[in-house]
């Protein structure tokens, strides 16, 4: 009760100050999460516990779910608290009261973990023993982690847990109104469970964001049936980019993702590329590529200083383009790739893969990117289709089957491995542990739903997996040691990790590319600018967007992208921004493309 009263009083005092969004956004996220936690405990958990303590059945049918989500709530609050401590300096004269509140909150969370949680778990065990006393115990069915999710019907935050069940990893969510729903995360439970464990072992702090999506416009020259932005739906004004100027003037080496529906529709795009570059930051353009098929326009963006272009490229199947994008696009996209090649612009291909539609494009696009003439393609991101924006609208309003076509990164990895026997899932697991360790060492945010692998190009258009050049088993052990050492001795842990990388990365095969390997490693510190990635390497990414089905609050807090938009303002986590946008979409009955029609 004391914490609740102090939080409200401090929130009222802070609201009277003109605070930058660097503090305001995490503070708003913090107060909303804390309020939800208080309400959940007072209205659901405590009454149910009191009922059980006197031998009565709890009135709350979701009691078990509330209890199972309690640890996840405490972990999330601790993570948000860490982030606020970094930003508290923005609160000026109120910095000290903010820090005092956070100190008391940490003490409260620690007290609950030591005193309340053991009693809660004991009551849960009694509850489950009473209700499941005749069910046999299956050691393969267990909870990996408690967290918070989103009910994909009402879009409210609900208790959730990552479970291993029948050799499949699920994200199970418990909504008191709409029941239990489940999202498959992986069909390779050993792979996923190991990465999940290690990811959270080395991501225990909240680090400053280094990558920001700037949603420049909600207009588009396409009406994609899967548009995440639900473009051309509402009369949303273009973003006034003055809100980004403070960030650009105070930070160096961050990435600014100029995107949204279609940023090339902004007449001032070149000016903002120049402004991003003038402040020492990375200018990344995300586009459907239609306007870049025009050579003179592409040249203008090159002259403005664009560092990298992320191009929607869903493979070579025009039927898939019609399903995903509403029209054939291959000719225009191939023209854009040709322009990027001739102008020397580093390019990432974003390949949306939908189940039952274009899985074959994983292997085809990978082989295309390896062609010797395509060394300007430094990265291929295989993006599993998700239910957001226009796709979610079509499912709700038209009964579309797009929801049956969604994919998670794990399934994309399997597609690539099955198409190239030199690429092994175990090597990808080891590589990602090393990748997560390096990100942690250099204090870079990154999502668990973004996994990578690295290929080295050969002159004949083939490629050698990095597992043939680095001693990944030894580096796996080094990453594990980093996870053990980093909390108590962060500098020593980082030094030992980099030393291990040097020791196990130098061989007769890698000697000729040693400088390039060092350059690639240093990009973790300076910002992963594709322009600086040596063209002998091809980065592979297996990713997904966070939607209401797969949203995991503990993953979302570490989202590798922040966002600035007209409709959502500044949000530290792009995953949270996605869900918030769906809430706003649900409040309107306007259909995608309505403005054009």
């Amino acid at each position: 009760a004391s914490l609740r009263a102090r939080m409200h009083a401090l929130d009222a005092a802070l609201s009277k100050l003109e605070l930058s969004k660097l503090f305001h956004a995490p503070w708003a996220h913090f107060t909303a999460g804390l309020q939800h936690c208080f309400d959940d405990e007072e209205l659901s958990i405590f009454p149910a516990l009191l009922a059980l303590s006197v031998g009565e059945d709890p009135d709350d049918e979701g009691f078990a779910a509330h209890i199972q989500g309690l640890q996840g709530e405490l972990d999330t609050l601790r993570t948000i608290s860490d982030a606020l401590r970094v930003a508290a300096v923005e609160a000026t004269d109120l910095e000290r009261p903010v820090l005092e509140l956070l100190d008391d909150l940490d003490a409260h969370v620690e007290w609950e973990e030591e005193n309340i949680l053991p009693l809660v778990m004991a009551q849960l065990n009694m509850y489950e023993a009473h209700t499941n006393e005749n069910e046999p115990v299956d050691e393969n069915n267990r909870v990996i982690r408690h967290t918070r999710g989103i009910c994909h019907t009402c879009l409210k935050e609900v208790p959730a847990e990552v479970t291993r069940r029948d050799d499949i990893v699920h994200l199970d969510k418990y909504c008191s109104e709409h029941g239990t729903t489940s999202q498959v995360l992986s069909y390779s439970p050993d792979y996923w469970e190991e990465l999940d464990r290690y990811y959270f072992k080395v991501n225990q702090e909240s680090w400053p964001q280094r990558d920001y999506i700037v949603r420049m416009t909600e207009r588009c020259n396409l009406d994609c049936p899967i548009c995440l932005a639900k473009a051309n739906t509402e009369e949303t004004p273009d973003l006034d980019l003055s809100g980004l100027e403070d960030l650009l003037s105070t930070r160096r080496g961050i990435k600014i993702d100029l995107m949204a529906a279609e940023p090339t529709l902004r007449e001032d795009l070149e000016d903002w590329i120049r402004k991003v570059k003038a402040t020492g930051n990375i200018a990344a353009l995300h586009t459907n590529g239609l306007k870049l098929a025009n050579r003179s326009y592409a040249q203008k963006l090159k002259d403005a200083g664009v560092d990298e272009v992320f191009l929607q490229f869903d493979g070579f199947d025009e039927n898939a383009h019609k399903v995903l994008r509403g029209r054939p696009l291959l000719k225009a996209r191939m023209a854009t790739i040709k322009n990027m090649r001739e102008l020397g612009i580093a390019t990432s291909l974003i390949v949306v893969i939908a189940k039952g539609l274009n899985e074959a494009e994983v292997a085809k696009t990978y082989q295309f990117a390896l062609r010797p003439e395509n060394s300007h393609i430094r990265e291929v991101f295989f993006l599993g289709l998700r239910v957001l924006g226009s796709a979610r609208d079509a499912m709700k309003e038209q009964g579309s089957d797009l929801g049956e076509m969604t994919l998670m990164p794990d399934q994309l990895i399997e597609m690539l491995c099955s198409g190239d026997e030199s690429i092994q899932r175990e090597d990808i697991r080891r590589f990602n542990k090393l990748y997560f360790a390096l990100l942690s060492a250099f204090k870079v945010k990154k999502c668990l739903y973004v996994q990578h692998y690295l290929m080295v190009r050969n002159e004949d258009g083939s490629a050698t997996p990095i597992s043939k050049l680095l001693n990944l088993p030894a580096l796996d052990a080094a990453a594990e040691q980093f996870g053990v050492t980093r909390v108590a001795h962060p500098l020593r842990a980082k030094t030992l990790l980099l030393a291990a990388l040097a020791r196990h990365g130098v061989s007769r095969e890698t000697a000729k590319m040693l400088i390039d390997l060092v350059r690639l490693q240093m990009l973790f510190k300076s910002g992963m600018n594709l322009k600086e990635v040596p063209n002998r390497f091809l980065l592979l990414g297996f990713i997904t967007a966070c939607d209401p089905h797969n949203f995991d609050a503990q993953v979302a807090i570490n989202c590798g992208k922040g966002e600035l938009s007209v409709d959502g303002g500044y949000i530290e986590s792009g995953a949270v921004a996605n869900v918030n946008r769906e809430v706003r979409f649900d409040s309107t009955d306007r259909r995608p493309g309505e403005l054009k029609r």
Side-chain angles (χ1 to χ4, degrees), residues 210-278:
R210 294 168 61 173
D211 194 330
Y212 294 88
I213 295 169
V214 181
R215 299 181 63 84
M216 301 179 69
T217 180
E218 301 307 308
R219 297 176 290 125
C220 189
N221 46 9
L222 289 175
D223 283 312
C224 298
I226 63 165
C227 178
L228 275 64
K230 204 175 174 183
N232 305 318
T233 301
E234 299 174 336
E235 295 180 354
T236 305
D238 285 352
L239 179 67
D240 178 357
L241 293 177
S242 62
L244 192 62
E245 290 180 343
D246 288 344
L247 183 63
L248 290 175
S249 65
T250 58
R251 300 287 298 278
R252 296 290 183 273
I254 64 173
K255 182 176 288 190
I256 302 299
D257 294 290
L258 302 169
M259 60 183 299
E262 180 48 47
T264 60
L265 298 189
R266 285 285 296 250
E267 297 296 329
D268 57 353
L269 176 58
E270 298 163 58
D271 296 334
W272 278 99
I273 292 174
R274 292 190 179 96
K275 180 166 287 191
V276 171
K277 293 302 298 174

Coordinates of all heavy atoms in Angstrom, one line a residue, residues 210-278:
R210 N 20.3 0.9 -28.9 CA 21.2 1.4 -30.0 C 20.7 1.3 -31.4 O 21.4 1.5 -32.3 CB 22.5 0.6 -29.8 CG 23.3 0.8 -28.5 CD 24.4 -0.1 -28.3 NE 25.4 -0.1 -29.3 CZ 26.6 -0.8 -29.2 NH1 26.8 -1.5 -28.2 NH2 27.5 -0.7 -30.2
D211 N 19.4 1.0 -31.5 CA 18.8 0.8 -32.8 C 17.3 1.3 -32.7 O 16.6 0.8 -31.9 CB 18.8 -0.6 -33.2 CG 18.5 -0.9 -34.7 OD1 17.8 -0.1 -35.2 OD2 19.0 -1.9 -35.2
Y212 N 17.0 2.3 -33.5 CA 15.7 2.9 -33.4 C 14.9 2.9 -34.7 O 15.5 3.4 -35.8 CB 15.8 4.4 -32.9 CG 16.3 4.5 -31.5 CD1 17.7 4.6 -31.3 CD2 15.5 4.6 -30.4 CE1 18.2 4.7 -30.0 CE2 16.0 4.7 -29.1 CZ 17.4 4.7 -28.9 OH 17.9 4.8 -27.7
I213 N 13.7 2.4 -34.7 CA 12.8 2.5 -35.9 C 12.2 3.9 -35.9 O 11.7 4.3 -34.8 CB 11.7 1.4 -35.8 CG1 12.3 0.0 -35.9 CG2 10.7 1.6 -36.8 CD1 11.3 -1.1 -35.5
V214 N 12.2 4.5 -37.0 CA 11.6 5.8 -37.1 C 10.5 5.6 -38.2 O 10.8 5.5 -39.4 CB 12.5 6.9 -37.6 CG1 11.8 8.3 -37.7 CG2 13.7 7.1 -36.6
R215 N 9.2 5.6 -37.8 CA 8.1 5.4 -38.7 C 7.8 6.7 -39.3 O 7.0 7.5 -38.8 CB 6.9 4.8 -37.9 CG 7.3 3.5 -37.2 CD 6.1 2.9 -36.5 NE 5.0 2.6 -37.4 CZ 4.9 1.5 -38.2 NH1 5.8 0.6 -38.1 NH2 3.9 1.3 -39.0
M216 N 8.3 6.9 -40.5 CA 8.2 8.2 -41.2 C 6.9 8.5 -41.7 O 6.5 9.7 -41.8 CB 9.3 8.3 -42.3 CG 10.7 8.1 -41.8 SD 11.9 8.2 -43.1 CE 11.8 9.9 -43.5
T217 N 6.1 7.5 -42.2 CA 4.8 7.7 -42.8 C 4.0 6.4 -42.7 O 4.6 5.4 -42.7 CB 5.0 8.2 -44.3 OG1 3.7 8.4 -44.8 CG2 5.7 7.1 -45.1
E218 N 2.7 6.6 -42.7 CA 1.9 5.4 -42.7 C 1.3 5.2 -44.1 O 0.4 4.4 -44.3 CB 0.8 5.5 -41.7 CG 1.3 5.6 -40.3 CD 2.3 4.5 -39.9 OE1 2.0 3.3 -40.0 OE2 3.4 4.9 -39.4
R219 N 1.8 6.0 -45.1 CA 1.4 5.8 -46.5 C 2.2 4.8 -47.2 O 3.4 4.6 -46.8 CB 1.5 7.2 -47.2 CG 0.6 8.2 -46.7 CD 0.8 9.6 -47.4 NE 2.1 10.1 -47.1 CZ 3.1 10.5 -48.0 NH1 2.8 10.3 -49.3 NH2 4.2 11.0 -47.6
C220 N 1.7 4.1 -48.2 CA 2.5 3.2 -49.0 C 2.0 3.1 -50.4 O 0.8 3.4 -50.7 CB 2.4 1.8 -48.3 SG 3.5 0.6 -49.0
N221 N 2.9 2.7 -51.3 CA 2.5 2.5 -52.7 C 2.1 1.1 -53.0 O 2.0 0.7 -54.1 CB 3.6 2.9 -53.7 CG 5.0 2.4 -53.2 OD1 5.1 1.6 -52.3 ND2 6.0 2.9 -53.9
L222 N 2.0 0.3 -51.9 CA 1.4 -1.1 -52.0 C 0.3 -1.2 -51.0 O 0.3 -0.4 -50.0 CB 2.5 -2.2 -51.8 CG 3.5 -2.4 -52.8 CD1 4.6 -3.4 -52.3 CD2 2.9 -2.9 -54.1
D223 N -0.5 -2.2 -51.1 CA -1.5 -2.6 -50.1 C -1.3 -4.1 -49.8 O -2.1 -4.9 -50.1 CB -2.9 -2.3 -50.5 CG -3.3 -0.9 -50.4 OD1 -3.0 -0.3 -49.4 OD2 -3.8 -0.3 -51.4
C224 N -0.2 -4.4 -49.1 CA 0.2 -5.8 -48.8 C -0.8 -6.4 -47.9 O -1.1 -5.9 -46.8 CB 1.6 -5.9 -48.2 SG 2.9 -5.3 -49.3
P225 N -1.4 -7.6 -48.2 CA -2.3 -8.3 -47.3 C -1.6 -8.7 -46.0 O -2.4 -9.0 -45.0 CB -2.6 -9.6 -48.1 CG -2.4 -9.2 -49.5 CD -1.3 -8.3 -49.5
I226 N -0.3 -8.6 -45.9 CA 0.4 -9.0 -44.6 C 1.0 -7.7 -44.0 O 1.8 -7.9 -43.1 CB 1.4 -10.1 -44.8 CG1 2.5 -9.6 -45.7 CG2 0.8 -11.3 -45.3 CD1 3.8 -10.4 -45.7
C227 N 0.6 -6.5 -44.4 CA 1.3 -5.3 -43.9 C 1.2 -5.2 -42.4 O 0.1 -5.1 -41.8 CB 0.7 -4.1 -44.5 SG 1.4 -2.5 -44.0
L228 N 2.4 -5.2 -41.7 CA 2.4 -5.0 -40.3 C 1.9 -3.7 -39.8 O 1.3 -3.5 -38.7 CB 3.9 -5.2 -39.8 CG 4.4 -6.6 -39.5 CD1 4.4 -7.4 -40.7 CD2 5.7 -6.5 -38.8
A229 N 2.0 -2.7 -40.7 CA 1.6 -1.3 -40.4 C 0.2 -1.0 -40.7 O -0.3 0.1 -40.4 CB 2.5 -0.3 -41.1
K230 N -0.5 -2.0 -41.4 CA -1.9 -1.8 -41.8 C -2.0 -0.4 -42.6 O -2.8 0.5 -42.3 CB -2.8 -1.8 -40.6 CG -4.3 -2.1 -40.9 CD -5.1 -2.2 -39.7 CE -6.6 -2.4 -40.0 NZ -7.4 -2.4 -38.7
A231 N -1.1 -0.3 -43.6 CA -0.9 1.0 -44.3 C -2.2 1.4 -45.0 O -3.0 0.7 -45.3 CB 0.3 0.9 -45.3
N232 N -2.2 2.8 -45.2 CA -3.3 3.4 -46.0 C -4.7 3.1 -45.4 O -5.7 3.1 -46.1 CB -3.3 2.9 -47.5 CG -1.9 3.0 -48.1 OD1 -1.3 4.1 -48.0 ND2 -1.5 2.0 -48.9
T233 N -4.7 3.0 -44.1 CA -5.9 2.8 -43.4 C -6.5 4.0 -42.8 O -7.7 4.3 -42.9 CB -5.7 1.7 -42.3 OG1 -5.2 0.5 -42.9 CG2 -7.0 1.4 -41.6
E234 N -5.7 4.8 -42.1 CA -6.2 6.0 -41.3 C -5.4 7.2 -41.8 O -4.3 7.1 -42.4 CB -6.0 5.7 -39.8 CG -6.8 4.6 -39.3 CD -6.5 4.3 -37.8 OE1 -5.4 4.7 -37.4 OE2 -7.3 3.7 -37.2
E235 N -6.0 8.3 -41.6 CA -5.4 9.6 -42.0 C -4.4 10.0 -40.9 O -4.5 11.1 -40.3 CB -6.5 10.7 -42.2 CG -7.4 10.3 -43.4 CD -8.5 11.4 -43.6 OE1 -8.5 12.3 -42.7 OE2 -9.2 11.3 -44.5
T236 N -3.3 9.2 -40.8 CA -2.2 9.5 -39.9 C -1.2 10.5 -40.5 O -0.7 10.2 -41.6 CB -1.5 8.3 -39.4 OG1 -2.5 7.3 -38.9 CG2 -0.5 8.6 -38.4
P237 N -1.0 11.6 -40.0 CA 0.0 12.5 -40.6 C 1.4 11.9 -40.6 O 1.7 11.1 -39.8 CB -0.1 13.8 -39.7 CG -0.5 13.3 -38.4 CD -1.4 12.1 -38.7
D238 N 2.2 12.4 -41.5 CA 3.6 12.0 -41.5 C 4.3 12.5 -40.3 O 3.9 13.5 -39.7 CB 4.4 12.6 -42.8 CG 4.0 11.9 -44.1 OD1 3.3 10.9 -44.0 OD2 4.4 12.4 -45.1
L239 N 5.3 11.7 -39.9 CA 6.0 12.0 -38.6 C 6.9 13.3 -38.8 O 7.6 13.5 -39.8 CB 7.0 10.9 -38.3 CG 7.8 11.0 -37.0 CD1 6.9 11.0 -35.8 CD2 8.8 9.9 -36.9
D240 N 6.7 14.2 -37.8 CA 7.6 15.4 -37.7 C 8.9 14.9 -37.0 O 8.9 14.6 -35.8 CB 6.9 16.5 -36.8 CG 7.8 17.7 -36.7 OD1 8.9 17.7 -37.1 OD2 7.3 18.7 -36.1
L241 N 9.9 14.8 -37.8 CA 11.1 14.2 -37.3 C 11.9 15.0 -36.3 O 13.0 14.7 -35.8 CB 12.0 13.8 -38.4 CG 11.5 12.7 -39.3 CD1 12.4 12.4 -40.5 CD2 11.3 11.4 -38.5
S242 N 11.4 16.2 -35.9 CA 12.1 17.0 -34.9 C 12.2 16.3 -33.6 O 13.1 16.6 -32.8 CB 11.3 18.3 -34.7 OG 10.0 18.1 -34.2
G243 N 11.3 15.3 -33.3 CA 11.4 14.6 -32.1 C 12.6 13.7 -32.0 O 13.0 13.3 -30.9
L244 N 13.3 13.5 -33.1 CA 14.5 12.7 -33.1 C 15.8 13.5 -32.9 O 16.8 12.9 -32.7 CB 14.5 11.9 -34.4 CG 15.5 10.7 -34.5 CD1 15.2 9.6 -33.5 CD2 15.5 10.1 -35.9
E245 N 15.7 14.8 -33.0 CA 16.9 15.6 -33.1 C 17.7 15.5 -31.8 O 19.0 15.5 -31.9 CB 16.5 17.1 -33.4 CG 16.0 17.2 -34.8 CD 15.6 18.7 -35.1 OE1 15.5 19.5 -34.2 OE2 15.5 19.0 -36.3
D246 N 17.1 15.5 -30.6 CA 17.9 15.3 -29.4 C 18.7 14.0 -29.4 O 19.8 14.0 -29.0 CB 16.9 15.4 -28.2 CG 16.4 16.8 -27.9 OD1 16.9 17.7 -28.5 OD2 15.4 16.9 -27.2
L247 N 18.0 13.0 -29.8 CA 18.7 11.7 -29.8 C 19.9 11.7 -30.8 O 21.0 11.2 -30.5 CB 17.7 10.6 -30.2 CG 18.2 9.2 -30.3 CD1 18.6 8.7 -28.9 CD2 17.2 8.2 -30.8
L248 N 19.7 12.3 -32.0 CA 20.8 12.4 -33.0 C 21.9 13.2 -32.5 O 23.1 13.0 -32.8 CB 20.2 12.9 -34.3 CG 19.3 12.0 -35.1 CD1 18.7 12.7 -36.3 CD2 19.9 10.7 -35.5
S249 N 21.6 14.2 -31.7 CA 22.7 15.2 -31.3 C 23.5 14.6 -30.1 O 24.6 15.2 -29.8 CB 22.1 16.5 -30.9 OG 21.2 16.4 -29.8
T250 N 23.0 13.7 -29.4 CA 23.6 13.2 -28.2 C 24.2 11.8 -28.3 O 25.0 11.4 -27.4 CB 22.7 13.2 -27.0 OG1 21.5 12.4 -27.3 CG2 22.2 14.7 -26.7
R251 N 23.9 11.1 -29.3 CA 24.4 9.7 -29.4 C 25.2 9.6 -30.7 O 24.9 10.2 -31.7 CB 23.2 8.7 -29.4 CG 22.4 8.8 -28.2 CD 23.0 8.2 -27.0 NE 23.3 6.8 -27.2 CZ 22.4 5.8 -27.1 NH1 21.2 6.1 -26.7 NH2 22.7 4.5 -27.2
R252 N 26.2 8.6 -30.7 CA 27.0 8.3 -31.9 C 27.0 6.8 -32.1 O 27.0 6.1 -31.1 CB 28.4 8.8 -31.7 CG 28.5 10.3 -31.6 CD 28.2 11.0 -32.9 NE 28.4 12.5 -32.9 CZ 27.5 13.3 -32.5 NH1 26.3 12.9 -32.1 NH2 27.8 14.6 -32.4
G253 N 27.0 6.4 -33.3 CA 27.1 5.0 -33.6 C 25.8 4.2 -33.5 O 25.9 3.0 -33.5
I254 N 24.7 4.8 -33.3 CA 23.4 4.1 -33.2 C 22.9 4.0 -34.6 O 23.3 4.7 -35.5 CB 22.4 4.8 -32.3 CG1 22.0 6.2 -32.8 CG2 22.9 4.9 -30.9 CD1 20.9 6.8 -32.1
K255 N 22.0 3.0 -34.8 CA 21.4 2.8 -36.1 C 20.0 3.4 -36.1 O 19.2 3.2 -35.2 CB 21.3 1.3 -36.4 CG 20.7 1.0 -37.8 CD 20.7 -0.5 -38.1 CE 22.1 -0.9 -38.4 NZ 22.2 -2.3 -38.9
I256 N 19.7 4.2 -37.1 CA 18.4 4.8 -37.3 C 17.7 4.1 -38.5 O 18.2 4.2 -39.7 CB 18.5 6.3 -37.6 CG1 19.2 7.0 -36.4 CG2 17.1 6.9 -37.8 CD1 18.5 6.9 -35.1
D257 N 16.7 3.3 -38.2 CA 15.9 2.6 -39.3 C 14.8 3.4 -39.8 O 13.8 3.6 -39.2 CB 15.4 1.3 -38.7 CG 16.4 0.3 -38.3 OD1 17.1 -0.2 -39.2 OD2 16.6 0.1 -37.0
L258 N 15.1 4.0 -41.0 CA 14.1 4.9 -41.7 C 13.1 3.9 -42.4 O 13.4 3.3 -43.4 CB 14.8 5.8 -42.7 CG 15.8 6.7 -42.0 CD1 16.7 7.4 -43.1 CD2 15.2 7.7 -41.1
M259 N 11.9 3.8 -41.8 CA 11.0 2.8 -42.3 C 9.5 3.2 -42.0 O 9.2 4.4 -41.8 CB 11.3 1.5 -41.7 CG 11.2 1.4 -40.2 SD 11.7 -0.3 -39.5 CE 10.5 -1.3 -40.2
A260 N 8.7 2.3 -41.9 CA 7.2 2.4 -41.6 C 6.5 1.8 -42.8 O 6.9 0.7 -43.2 CB 6.8 3.9 -41.5
A261 N 5.5 2.4 -43.3 CA 4.8 1.8 -44.4 C 5.7 1.8 -45.6 O 6.2 0.8 -46.0 CB 3.5 2.5 -44.7
E262 N 6.0 3.0 -46.2 CA 7.0 3.1 -47.2 C 7.7 4.5 -47.2 O 7.2 5.5 -47.6 CB 6.4 2.9 -48.6 CG 7.4 2.9 -49.7 CD 8.7 2.1 -49.5 OE1 8.5 0.9 -49.1 OE2 9.8 2.6 -49.7
P263 N 8.9 4.5 -46.6 CA 9.6 5.8 -46.4 C 10.0 6.5 -47.6 O 10.2 7.7 -47.6 CB 10.9 5.4 -45.5 CG 11.1 4.0 -45.8 CD 9.7 3.4 -46.1
T264 N 10.1 5.8 -48.8 CA 10.5 6.5 -50.0 C 9.4 7.4 -50.5 O 9.6 8.2 -51.5 CB 10.9 5.5 -51.1 OG1 9.8 4.7 -51.4 CG2 12.1 4.7 -50.7
L265 N 8.2 7.4 -49.9 CA 7.2 8.3 -50.3 C 7.4 9.7 -49.6 O 6.7 10.7 -50.0 CB 5.8 7.8 -49.9 CG 5.4 6.5 -50.6 CD1 3.9 6.2 -50.2 CD2 5.6 6.5 -52.1
R266 N 8.3 9.8 -48.7 CA 8.6 11.1 -48.1 C 9.6 11.8 -49.0 O 10.6 11.4 -49.4 CB 9.4 10.9 -46.7 CG 8.5 10.4 -45.6 CD 7.6 11.6 -45.1 NE 8.3 12.6 -44.5 CZ 8.4 12.9 -43.2 NH1 7.7 12.2 -42.4 NH2 9.0 14.0 -42.8
E267 N 9.1 13.1 -49.4 CA 9.9 13.9 -50.3 C 11.2 14.3 -49.6 O 12.2 14.7 -50.3 CB 9.1 15.1 -50.7 CG 7.9 14.8 -51.5 CD 8.2 14.1 -52.8 OE1 9.3 14.4 -53.4 OE2 7.4 13.3 -53.3
D268 N 11.3 14.4 -48.3 CA 12.5 14.8 -47.6 C 13.4 13.7 -47.1 O 14.2 13.9 -46.2 CB 12.1 15.7 -46.4 CG 11.2 15.0 -45.4 OD1 10.7 13.9 -45.7 OD2 10.9 15.6 -44.3
L269 N 13.2 12.5 -47.6 CA 14.0 11.4 -47.2 C 15.5 11.6 -47.3 O 16.3 11.3 -46.4 CB 13.6 10.1 -48.0 CG 14.4 8.8 -47.7 CD1 14.3 8.4 -46.3 CD2 13.9 7.7 -48.6
E270 N 15.9 12.2 -48.4 CA 17.4 12.5 -48.6 C 17.9 13.4 -47.5 O 19.0 13.2 -47.0 CB 17.6 13.1 -50.0 CG 17.3 12.2 -51.1 CD 17.1 13.0 -52.4 OE1 18.1 13.6 -52.8 OE2 16.1 13.0 -53.0
D271 N 17.1 14.4 -47.1 CA 17.5 15.4 -46.1 C 17.8 14.6 -44.8 O 18.7 14.9 -44.0 CB 16.5 16.5 -45.9 CG 16.3 17.3 -47.2 OD1 17.3 17.4 -47.9 OD2 15.3 17.9 -47.3
W272 N 16.9 13.7 -44.5 CA 17.0 13.0 -43.2 C 18.1 12.0 -43.2 O 18.7 11.7 -42.2 CB 15.7 12.4 -42.8 CG 14.9 13.5 -42.1 CD1 13.9 14.3 -42.7 CD2 15.1 14.1 -40.8 NE1 13.5 15.2 -41.9 CE2 14.1 15.2 -40.7 CE3 15.9 13.8 -39.8 CZ2 14.1 15.9 -39.6 CZ3 15.8 14.5 -38.6 CH2 14.9 15.6 -38.5
I273 N 18.4 11.4 -44.3 CA 19.6 10.5 -44.4 C 20.8 11.4 -44.1 O 21.7 10.9 -43.4 CB 19.7 9.9 -45.8 CG1 18.5 8.9 -46.0 CG2 21.0 9.2 -46.0 CD1 18.5 8.3 -47.4
R274 N 20.9 12.6 -44.7 CA 22.1 13.4 -44.5 C 22.2 13.8 -43.0 O 23.2 13.9 -42.4 CB 22.0 14.7 -45.4 CG 22.1 14.4 -46.8 CD 22.3 15.7 -47.6 NE 22.4 15.4 -49.0 CZ 21.5 15.4 -50.0 NH1 20.2 15.7 -49.5 NH2 21.7 15.1 -51.2
K275 N 21.0 14.1 -42.4 CA 21.0 14.5 -41.0 C 21.5 13.4 -40.1 O 22.3 13.6 -39.2 CB 19.6 15.0 -40.5 CG 19.6 15.5 -39.1 CD 18.3 16.2 -38.8 CE 18.4 17.6 -39.4 NZ 17.3 18.5 -39.0
V276 N 21.0 12.2 -40.4 CA 21.5 11.0 -39.6 C 23.0 10.8 -39.7 O 23.7 10.6 -38.7 CB 20.8 9.7 -40.0 CG1 21.4 8.5 -39.4 CG2 19.3 9.8 -39.7
K277 N 23.5 10.9 -40.9 CA 24.9 10.8 -41.2 C 25.8 11.9 -40.6 O 26.9 11.6 -40.1 CB 25.2 10.7 -42.7 CG 24.6 9.4 -43.4 CD 25.2 8.2 -42.7 CE 26.7 8.0 -42.9 NZ 27.2 6.9 -42.1
A278 N 25.2 13.1 -40.6 CA 26.0 14.3 -40.1 C 26.2 14.2 -38.6 O 27.1 14.8 -38.0 CB 25.3 15.6 -40.4

